[in-house]
PDB file of all heavy atoms in Angstrom:
ATOM      1  N   LYS V   5     -11.930   1.204  36.482  1.00 81.00           N
ATOM      2  CA  LYS V   5     -12.455   0.733  35.195  1.00 81.00           C
ATOM      3  C   LYS V   5     -11.356   0.232  34.271  1.00 81.00           C
ATOM      4  O   LYS V   5     -11.481  -0.816  33.653  1.00 81.00           O
ATOM      5  CB  LYS V   5     -13.225   1.852  34.492  1.00 81.00           C
ATOM      6  CG  LYS V   5     -14.514   2.218  35.141  1.00 81.00           C
ATOM      7  CD  LYS V   5     -15.169   3.376  34.418  1.00 81.00           C
ATOM      8  CE  LYS V   5     -16.416   3.825  35.144  1.00 81.00           C
ATOM      9  NZ  LYS V   5     -16.949   5.065  34.584  1.00 81.00           N
ATOM     10  N   CYS V   6     -10.295   1.011  34.146  1.00 86.00           N
ATOM     11  CA  CYS V   6      -9.257   0.608  33.190  1.00 86.00           C
ATOM     12  C   CYS V   6      -7.875   1.149  33.535  1.00 86.00           C
ATOM     13  O   CYS V   6      -7.030   1.304  32.669  1.00 86.00           O
ATOM     14  CB  CYS V   6      -9.659   0.985  31.764  1.00 86.00           C
ATOM     15  SG  CYS V   6      -9.934   2.727  31.443  1.00 86.00           S
ATOM     16  N   LEU V   7      -7.630   1.423  34.823  1.00 87.00           N
ATOM     17  CA  LEU V   7      -6.294   1.835  35.263  1.00 87.00           C
ATOM     18  C   LEU V   7      -5.397   0.604  35.238  1.00 87.00           C
ATOM     19  O   LEU V   7      -5.706  -0.418  35.845  1.00 87.00           O
ATOM     20  CB  LEU V   7      -6.341   2.424  36.672  1.00 87.00           C
ATOM     21  CG  LEU V   7      -4.989   2.835  37.265  1.00 87.00           C
ATOM     22  CD1 LEU V   7      -4.353   3.963  36.448  1.00 87.00           C
ATOM     23  CD2 LEU V   7      -5.152   3.241  38.722  1.00 87.00           C
ATOM     24  N   TRP V   8      -4.287   0.712  34.541  1.00 83.00           N
ATOM     25  CA  TRP V   8      -3.369  -0.407  34.332  1.00 83.00           C
ATOM     26  C   TRP V   8      -2.039  -0.095  34.994  1.00 83.00           C
ATOM     27  O   TRP V   8      -1.498   0.992  34.820  1.00 83.00           O
ATOM     28  CB  TRP V   8      -3.195  -0.615  32.833  1.00 83.00           C
ATOM     29  CG  TRP V   8      -2.181  -1.614  32.424  1.00 83.00           C
ATOM     30  CD1 TRP V   8      -2.242  -2.968  32.592  1.00 83.00           C
ATOM     31  CD2 TRP V   8      -0.979  -1.342  31.720  1.00 83.00           C
ATOM     32  NE1 TRP V   8      -1.133  -3.560  32.039  1.00 83.00           N
ATOM     33  CE2 TRP V   8      -0.336  -2.577  31.497  1.00 83.00           C
ATOM     34  CE3 TRP V   8      -0.369  -0.180  31.261  1.00 83.00           C
ATOM     35  CZ2 TRP V   8       0.875  -2.679  30.839  1.00 83.00           C
ATOM     36  CZ3 TRP V   8       0.838  -0.286  30.606  1.00 83.00           C
ATOM     37  CH2 TRP V   8       1.442  -1.529  30.390  1.00 83.00           C
ATOM     38  N   THR V   9      -1.522  -1.051  35.764  1.00 80.00           N
ATOM     39  CA  THR V   9      -0.298  -0.834  36.529  1.00 80.00           C
ATOM     40  C   THR V   9       0.803  -1.816  36.151  1.00 80.00           C
ATOM     41  O   THR V   9       1.746  -2.007  36.919  1.00 80.00           O
ATOM     42  CB  THR V   9      -0.593  -0.941  38.038  1.00 80.00           C
ATOM     43  OG1 THR V   9      -1.067  -2.266  38.322  1.00 80.00           O
ATOM     44  CG2 THR V   9      -1.614   0.091  38.485  1.00 80.00           C
ATOM     45  N   GLY V  10       0.709  -2.420  34.986  1.00 75.00           N
ATOM     46  CA  GLY V  10       1.662  -3.448  34.586  1.00 75.00           C
ATOM     47  C   GLY V  10       3.111  -2.994  34.580  1.00 75.00           C
ATOM     48  O   GLY V  10       3.991  -3.709  35.067  1.00 75.00           O
ATOM     49  N   VAL V  11       3.392  -1.835  34.049  1.00 71.00           N
ATOM     50  CA  VAL V  11       4.767  -1.337  34.007  1.00 71.00           C
ATOM     51  C   VAL V  11       5.218  -0.917  35.404  1.00 71.00           C
ATOM     52  O   VAL V  11       6.362  -1.155  35.788  1.00 71.00           O
ATOM     53  CB  VAL V  11       4.919  -0.190  32.988  1.00 71.00           C
ATOM     54  CG1 VAL V  11       6.306   0.425  33.047  1.00 71.00           C
ATOM     55  CG2 VAL V  11       4.637  -0.708  31.576  1.00 71.00           C
ATOM     56  N   ALA V  12       4.319  -0.335  36.193  1.00 71.00           N
ATOM     57  CA  ALA V  12       4.669   0.075  37.564  1.00 71.00           C
ATOM     58  C   ALA V  12       5.148  -1.117  38.384  1.00 71.00           C
ATOM     59  O   ALA V  12       6.083  -0.994  39.174  1.00 71.00           O
ATOM     60  CB  ALA V  12       3.467   0.733  38.239  1.00 71.00           C
ATOM     61  N   GLN V  13       4.520  -2.269  38.197  1.00 69.00           N
ATOM     62  CA  GLN V  13       4.925  -3.461  38.938  1.00 69.00           C
ATOM     63  C   GLN V  13       6.360  -3.860  38.646  1.00 69.00           C
ATOM     64  O   GLN V  13       7.060  -4.359  39.516  1.00 69.00           O
ATOM     65  CB  GLN V  13       4.014  -4.637  38.588  1.00 69.00           C
ATOM     66  CG  GLN V  13       2.620  -4.520  39.139  1.00 69.00           C
ATOM     67  CD  GLN V  13       1.751  -5.687  38.702  1.00 69.00           C
ATOM     68  OE1 GLN V  13       2.081  -6.439  37.789  1.00 69.00           O
ATOM     69  NE2 GLN V  13       0.614  -5.833  39.356  1.00 69.00           N
ATOM     70  N   LEU V  14       6.801  -3.649  37.435  1.00 68.00           N
ATOM     71  CA  LEU V  14       8.135  -4.089  37.016  1.00 68.00           C
ATOM     72  C   LEU V  14       9.233  -3.068  37.278  1.00 68.00           C
ATOM     73  O   LEU V  14      10.398  -3.430  37.355  1.00 68.00           O
ATOM     74  CB  LEU V  14       8.132  -4.420  35.516  1.00 68.00           C
ATOM     75  CG  LEU V  14       7.235  -5.559  35.068  1.00 68.00           C
ATOM     76  CD1 LEU V  14       7.253  -5.668  33.547  1.00 68.00           C
ATOM     77  CD2 LEU V  14       7.650  -6.865  35.713  1.00 68.00           C
ATOM     78  N   THR V  15       8.868  -1.795  37.383  1.00 65.00           N
ATOM     79  CA  THR V  15       9.871  -0.727  37.368  1.00 65.00           C
ATOM     80  C   THR V  15       9.996   0.055  38.667  1.00 65.00           C
ATOM     81  O   THR V  15      10.505   1.166  38.651  1.00 65.00           O
ATOM     82  CB  THR V  15       9.565   0.262  36.233  1.00 65.00           C
ATOM     83  OG1 THR V  15       8.301   0.887  36.513  1.00 65.00           O
ATOM     84  CG2 THR V  15       9.549  -0.409  34.880  1.00 65.00           C
ATOM     85  N   GLU V  16       9.543  -0.510  39.770  1.00 61.00           N
ATOM     86  CA  GLU V  16       9.604   0.185  41.046  1.00 61.00           C
ATOM     87  C   GLU V  16       8.713   1.431  41.031  1.00 61.00           C
ATOM     88  O   GLU V  16       8.981   2.417  41.707  1.00 61.00           O
ATOM     89  CB  GLU V  16      11.052   0.550  41.392  1.00 61.00           C
ATOM     90  CG  GLU V  16      11.294   0.812  42.848  1.00 61.00           C
ATOM     91  CD  GLU V  16      12.759   0.932  43.191  1.00 61.00           C
ATOM     92  OE1 GLU V  16      13.537   1.496  42.391  1.00 61.00           O
ATOM     93  OE2 GLU V  16      13.120   0.456  44.268  1.00 61.00           O
ATOM     94  N   ALA V  17       7.650   1.375  40.224  1.00 55.00           N
ATOM     95  CA  ALA V  17       6.705   2.484  40.102  1.00 55.00           C
ATOM     96  C   ALA V  17       7.413   3.775  39.705  1.00 55.00           C
ATOM     97  O   ALA V  17       7.087   4.862  40.168  1.00 55.00           O
ATOM     98  CB  ALA V  17       5.900   2.662  41.379  1.00 55.00           C
ATOM     99  N   ALA V  18       8.390   3.658  38.826  1.00 62.00           N
ATOM    100  CA  ALA V  18       9.180   4.810  38.399  1.00 62.00           C
ATOM    101  C   ALA V  18       8.456   5.579  37.296  1.00 62.00           C
ATOM    102  O   ALA V  18       7.803   4.994  36.435  1.00 62.00           O
ATOM    103  CB  ALA V  18      10.533   4.343  37.890  1.00 62.00           C
ATOM    104  N   GLY V  19       8.578   6.881  37.333  1.00 64.00           N
ATOM    105  CA  GLY V  19       8.076   7.734  36.252  1.00 64.00           C
ATOM    106  C   GLY V  19       6.607   7.526  35.949  1.00 64.00           C
ATOM    107  O   GLY V  19       5.828   7.174  36.816  1.00 64.00           O
ATOM    108  N   ASN V  20       6.254   7.764  34.716  1.00 68.00           N
ATOM    109  CA  ASN V  20       4.882   7.569  34.269  1.00 68.00           C
ATOM    110  C   ASN V  20       4.675   6.091  33.944  1.00 68.00           C
ATOM    111  O   ASN V  20       4.746   5.679  32.796  1.00 68.00           O
ATOM    112  CB  ASN V  20       4.595   8.411  33.020  1.00 68.00           C
ATOM    113  CG  ASN V  20       4.454   9.863  33.358  1.00 68.00           C
ATOM    114  OD1 ASN V  20       4.040  10.213  34.450  1.00 68.00           O
ATOM    115  ND2 ASN V  20       4.808  10.730  32.436  1.00 68.00           N
ATOM    116  N   SER V  21       4.417   5.307  34.976  1.00 71.00           N
ATOM    117  CA  SER V  21       4.351   3.867  34.771  1.00 71.00           C
ATOM    118  C   SER V  21       2.948   3.296  34.927  1.00 71.00           C
ATOM    119  O   SER V  21       2.775   2.094  34.979  1.00 71.00           O
ATOM    120  CB  SER V  21       5.320   3.163  35.724  1.00 71.00           C
ATOM    121  OG  SER V  21       5.059   3.509  37.064  1.00 71.00           O
ATOM    122  N   THR V  22       1.946   4.155  35.004  1.00 82.00           N
ATOM    123  CA  THR V  22       0.566   3.692  35.001  1.00 82.00           C
ATOM    124  C   THR V  22      -0.106   4.197  33.740  1.00 82.00           C
ATOM    125  O   THR V  22       0.346   5.157  33.116  1.00 82.00           O
ATOM    126  CB  THR V  22      -0.215   4.195  36.233  1.00 82.00           C
ATOM    127  OG1 THR V  22      -0.138   5.618  36.277  1.00 82.00           O
ATOM    128  CG2 THR V  22       0.334   3.600  37.509  1.00 82.00           C
ATOM    129  N   GLY V  23      -1.197   3.560  33.383  1.00 86.00           N
ATOM    130  CA  GLY V  23      -1.882   3.960  32.171  1.00 86.00           C
ATOM    131  C   GLY V  23      -3.342   3.568  32.202  1.00 86.00           C
ATOM    132  O   GLY V  23      -3.824   2.958  33.154  1.00 86.00           O
ATOM    133  N   LEU V  24      -4.022   3.937  31.153  1.00 91.00           N
ATOM    134  CA  LEU V  24      -5.409   3.529  30.951  1.00 91.00           C
ATOM    135  C   LEU V  24      -5.441   2.623  29.734  1.00 91.00           C
ATOM    136  O   LEU V  24      -4.766   2.887  28.739  1.00 91.00           O
ATOM    137  CB  LEU V  24      -6.306   4.742  30.732  1.00 91.00           C
ATOM    138  CG  LEU V  24      -6.382   5.732  31.895  1.00 91.00           C
ATOM    139  CD1 LEU V  24      -7.226   6.940  31.513  1.00 91.00           C
ATOM    140  CD2 LEU V  24      -6.927   5.063  33.146  1.00 91.00           C
ATOM    141  N   VAL V  25      -6.243   1.579  29.819  1.00 88.00           N
ATOM    142  CA  VAL V  25      -6.340   0.610  28.735  1.00 88.00           C
ATOM    143  C   VAL V  25      -7.809   0.429  28.389  1.00 88.00           C
ATOM    144  O   VAL V  25      -8.635   0.217  29.271  1.00 88.00           O
ATOM    145  CB  VAL V  25      -5.738  -0.752  29.160  1.00 88.00           C
ATOM    146  CG1 VAL V  25      -5.898  -1.769  28.047  1.00 88.00           C
ATOM    147  CG2 VAL V  25      -4.281  -0.609  29.541  1.00 88.00           C
ATOM    148  N   GLY V  26      -8.123   0.491  27.106  1.00 89.00           N
ATOM    149  CA  GLY V  26      -9.497   0.252  26.677  1.00 89.00           C
ATOM    150  C   GLY V  26      -9.803   0.902  25.351  1.00 89.00           C
ATOM    151  O   GLY V  26      -8.930   1.450  24.680  1.00 89.00           O
ATOM    152  N   THR V  27     -11.066   0.853  24.995  1.00 88.00           N
ATOM    153  CA  THR V  27     -11.548   1.507  23.782  1.00 88.00           C
ATOM    154  C   THR V  27     -11.544   3.018  24.015  1.00 88.00           C
ATOM    155  O   THR V  27     -11.441   3.472  25.166  1.00 88.00           O
ATOM    156  CB  THR V  27     -12.982   1.053  23.466  1.00 88.00           C
ATOM    157  OG1 THR V  27     -13.842   1.515  24.520  1.00 88.00           O
ATOM    158  CG2 THR V  27     -13.086  -0.462  23.317  1.00 88.00           C
ATOM    159  N   PRO V  28     -11.677   3.811  22.964  1.00 90.00           N
ATOM    160  CA  PRO V  28     -11.739   5.265  23.173  1.00 90.00           C
ATOM    161  C   PRO V  28     -12.840   5.657  24.161  1.00 90.00           C
ATOM    162  O   PRO V  28     -12.631   6.521  25.014  1.00 90.00           O
ATOM    163  CB  PRO V  28     -12.017   5.822  21.778  1.00 90.00           C
ATOM    164  CG  PRO V  28     -11.455   4.806  20.852  1.00 90.00           C
ATOM    165  CD  PRO V  28     -11.692   3.473  21.530  1.00 90.00           C
ATOM    166  N   GLU V  29     -13.982   4.995  24.082  1.00 92.00           N
ATOM    167  CA  GLU V  29     -15.086   5.314  24.976  1.00 92.00           C
ATOM    168  C   GLU V  29     -14.740   4.977  26.426  1.00 92.00           C
ATOM    169  O   GLU V  29     -15.035   5.740  27.345  1.00 92.00           O
ATOM    170  CB  GLU V  29     -16.357   4.563  24.542  1.00 92.00           C
ATOM    171  CG  GLU V  29     -16.929   5.014  23.225  1.00 92.00           C
ATOM    172  CD  GLU V  29     -16.170   4.489  21.993  1.00 92.00           C
ATOM    173  OE1 GLU V  29     -15.350   3.549  22.121  1.00 92.00           O
ATOM    174  OE2 GLU V  29     -16.387   5.042  20.911  1.00 92.00           O
ATOM    175  N   GLN V  30     -14.119   3.813  26.646  1.00 91.00           N
ATOM    176  CA  GLN V  30     -13.740   3.414  28.007  1.00 91.00           C
ATOM    177  C   GLN V  30     -12.689   4.355  28.581  1.00 91.00           C
ATOM    178  O   GLN V  30     -12.776   4.752  29.746  1.00 91.00           O
ATOM    179  CB  GLN V  30     -13.214   1.976  28.007  1.00 91.00           C
ATOM    180  CG  GLN V  30     -14.285   0.952  27.705  1.00 91.00           C
ATOM    181  CD  GLN V  30     -13.696  -0.407  27.364  1.00 91.00           C
ATOM    182  OE1 GLN V  30     -12.578  -0.525  26.864  1.00 91.00           O
ATOM    183  NE2 GLN V  30     -14.480  -1.455  27.626  1.00 91.00           N
ATOM    184  N   VAL V  31     -11.700   4.702  27.779  1.00 92.00           N
ATOM    185  CA  VAL V  31     -10.648   5.602  28.247  1.00 92.00           C
ATOM    186  C   VAL V  31     -11.225   7.002  28.494  1.00 92.00           C
ATOM    187  O   VAL V  31     -10.906   7.633  29.509  1.00 92.00           O
ATOM    188  CB  VAL V  31      -9.466   5.632  27.257  1.00 92.00           C
ATOM    189  CG1 VAL V  31      -8.476   6.731  27.612  1.00 92.00           C
ATOM    190  CG2 VAL V  31      -8.781   4.268  27.222  1.00 92.00           C
ATOM    191  N   ALA V  32     -12.101   7.477  27.613  1.00 94.00           N
ATOM    192  CA  ALA V  32     -12.737   8.787  27.823  1.00 94.00           C
ATOM    193  C   ALA V  32     -13.538   8.780  29.119  1.00 94.00           C
ATOM    194  O   ALA V  32     -13.469   9.739  29.899  1.00 94.00           O
ATOM    195  CB  ALA V  32     -13.632   9.139  26.638  1.00 94.00           C
ATOM    196  N   ASP V  33     -14.283   7.708  29.376  1.00 94.00           N
ATOM    197  CA  ASP V  33     -15.038   7.611  30.628  1.00 94.00           C
ATOM    198  C   ASP V  33     -14.108   7.648  31.832  1.00 94.00           C
ATOM    199  O   ASP V  33     -14.400   8.305  32.832  1.00 94.00           O
ATOM    200  CB  ASP V  33     -15.878   6.324  30.660  1.00 94.00           C
ATOM    201  CG  ASP V  33     -17.090   6.380  29.751  1.00 94.00           C
ATOM    202  OD1 ASP V  33     -17.478   7.483  29.321  1.00 94.00           O
ATOM    203  OD2 ASP V  33     -17.657   5.300  29.482  1.00 94.00           O
ATOM    204  N   ALA V  34     -12.983   6.945  31.738  1.00 94.00           N
ATOM    205  CA  ALA V  34     -12.025   6.928  32.844  1.00 94.00           C
ATOM    206  C   ALA V  34     -11.441   8.328  33.068  1.00 94.00           C
ATOM    207  O   ALA V  34     -11.304   8.771  34.223  1.00 94.00           O
ATOM    208  CB  ALA V  34     -10.911   5.920  32.574  1.00 94.00           C
ATOM    209  N   LEU V  35     -11.108   9.030  32.003  1.00 95.00           N
ATOM    210  CA  LEU V  35     -10.596  10.396  32.137  1.00 95.00           C
ATOM    211  C   LEU V  35     -11.640  11.301  32.787  1.00 95.00           C
ATOM    212  O   LEU V  35     -11.310  12.142  33.632  1.00 95.00           O
ATOM    213  CB  LEU V  35     -10.154  10.949  30.783  1.00 95.00           C
ATOM    214  CG  LEU V  35      -8.904  10.296  30.182  1.00 95.00           C
ATOM    215  CD1 LEU V  35      -8.679  10.785  28.752  1.00 95.00           C
ATOM    216  CD2 LEU V  35      -7.667  10.563  31.033  1.00 95.00           C
ATOM    217  N   LEU V  36     -12.898  11.113  32.421  1.00 95.00           N
ATOM    218  CA  LEU V  36     -13.963  11.911  33.037  1.00 95.00           C
ATOM    219  C   LEU V  36     -14.150  11.565  34.510  1.00 95.00           C
ATOM    220  O   LEU V  36     -14.517  12.435  35.310  1.00 95.00           O
ATOM    221  CB  LEU V  36     -15.269  11.746  32.262  1.00 95.00           C
ATOM    222  CG  LEU V  36     -15.250  12.669  31.048  1.00 95.00           C
ATOM    223  CD1 LEU V  36     -15.790  12.002  29.818  1.00 95.00           C
ATOM    224  CD2 LEU V  36     -15.987  13.933  31.362  1.00 95.00           C
ATOM    225  N   ASP V  37     -13.894  10.316  34.881  1.00 95.00           N
ATOM    226  CA  ASP V  37     -13.933   9.958  36.301  1.00 95.00           C
ATOM    227  C   ASP V  37     -12.878  10.742  37.072  1.00 95.00           C
ATOM    228  O   ASP V  37     -13.139  11.221  38.181  1.00 95.00           O
ATOM    229  CB  ASP V  37     -13.697   8.455  36.487  1.00 95.00           C
ATOM    230  CG  ASP V  37     -14.874   7.595  36.047  1.00 95.00           C
ATOM    231  OD1 ASP V  37     -16.003   8.129  35.922  1.00 95.00           O
ATOM    232  OD2 ASP V  37     -14.657   6.385  35.827  1.00 95.00           O
ATOM    233  N   TYR V  38     -11.685  10.887  36.496  1.00 95.00           N
ATOM    234  CA  TYR V  38     -10.643  11.696  37.134  1.00 95.00           C
ATOM    235  C   TYR V  38     -11.050  13.173  37.146  1.00 95.00           C
ATOM    236  O   TYR V  38     -10.834  13.878  38.128  1.00 95.00           O
ATOM    237  CB  TYR V  38      -9.296  11.521  36.423  1.00 95.00           C
ATOM    238  CG  TYR V  38      -8.636  10.202  36.718  1.00 95.00           C
ATOM    239  CD1 TYR V  38      -8.575   9.200  35.756  1.00 95.00           C
ATOM    240  CD2 TYR V  38      -8.066   9.943  37.963  1.00 95.00           C
ATOM    241  CE1 TYR V  38      -7.968   7.975  36.020  1.00 95.00           C
ATOM    242  CE2 TYR V  38      -7.455   8.737  38.239  1.00 95.00           C
ATOM    243  CZ  TYR V  38      -7.415   7.756  37.267  1.00 95.00           C
ATOM    244  OH  TYR V  38      -6.825   6.548  37.536  1.00 95.00           O
ATOM    245  N   HIS V  39     -11.625  13.629  36.064  1.00 94.00           N
ATOM    246  CA  HIS V  39     -12.090  15.017  35.970  1.00 94.00           C
ATOM    247  C   HIS V  39     -13.102  15.302  37.083  1.00 94.00           C
ATOM    248  O   HIS V  39     -13.037  16.358  37.736  1.00 94.00           O
ATOM    249  CB  HIS V  39     -12.704  15.259  34.584  1.00 94.00           C
ATOM    250  CG  HIS V  39     -13.120  16.661  34.335  1.00 94.00           C
ATOM    251  ND1 HIS V  39     -14.393  17.120  34.598  1.00 94.00           N
ATOM    252  CD2 HIS V  39     -12.429  17.711  33.850  1.00 94.00           C
ATOM    253  CE1 HIS V  39     -14.467  18.389  34.279  1.00 94.00           C
ATOM    254  NE2 HIS V  39     -13.294  18.781  33.826  1.00 94.00           N
ATOM    255  N   ALA V  40     -13.998  14.362  37.337  1.00 94.00           N
ATOM    256  CA  ALA V  40     -15.008  14.533  38.383  1.00 94.00           C
ATOM    257  C   ALA V  40     -14.382  14.622  39.776  1.00 94.00           C
ATOM    258  O   ALA V  40     -14.999  15.128  40.711  1.00 94.00           O
ATOM    259  CB  ALA V  40     -16.008  13.377  38.334  1.00 94.00           C
ATOM    260  N   ARG V  41     -13.163  14.151  39.901  1.00 95.00           N
ATOM    261  CA  ARG V  41     -12.461  14.194  41.184  1.00 95.00           C
ATOM    262  C   ARG V  41     -11.529  15.394  41.297  1.00 95.00           C
ATOM    263  O   ARG V  41     -10.748  15.491  42.228  1.00 95.00           O
ATOM    264  CB  ARG V  41     -11.714  12.895  41.405  1.00 95.00           C
ATOM    265  CG  ARG V  41     -12.702  11.800  41.833  1.00 95.00           C
ATOM    266  CD  ARG V  41     -12.275  10.424  41.424  1.00 95.00           C
ATOM    267  NE  ARG V  41     -13.269   9.445  41.834  1.00 95.00           N
ATOM    268  CZ  ARG V  41     -14.353   9.128  41.131  1.00 95.00           C
ATOM    269  NH1 ARG V  41     -14.604   9.734  39.983  1.00 95.00           N
ATOM    270  NH2 ARG V  41     -15.201   8.224  41.571  1.00 95.00           N
ATOM    271  N   GLY V  42     -11.582  16.302  40.306  1.00 95.00           N
ATOM    272  CA  GLY V  42     -10.847  17.556  40.410  1.00 95.00           C
ATOM    273  C   GLY V  42      -9.693  17.737  39.453  1.00 95.00           C
ATOM    274  O   GLY V  42      -9.038  18.778  39.472  1.00 95.00           O
ATOM    275  N   VAL V  43      -9.429  16.776  38.599  1.00 96.00           N
ATOM    276  CA  VAL V  43      -8.326  16.902  37.649  1.00 96.00           C
ATOM    277  C   VAL V  43      -8.814  17.699  36.440  1.00 96.00           C
ATOM    278  O   VAL V  43      -9.799  17.329  35.800  1.00 96.00           O
ATOM    279  CB  VAL V  43      -7.808  15.512  37.212  1.00 96.00           C
ATOM    280  CG1 VAL V  43      -6.725  15.649  36.149  1.00 96.00           C
ATOM    281  CG2 VAL V  43      -7.298  14.732  38.414  1.00 96.00           C
TER     282      VAL V  43
END
């Protein structure tokens, strides 16, 4: 839905280089998708 890998592409996927992008509702939904998978 909103997993963003822009920094990972540039930095050899170093450190915390992925993120979520969107409105609070979109990001909350994405976090709940991860929660549903055991996080």
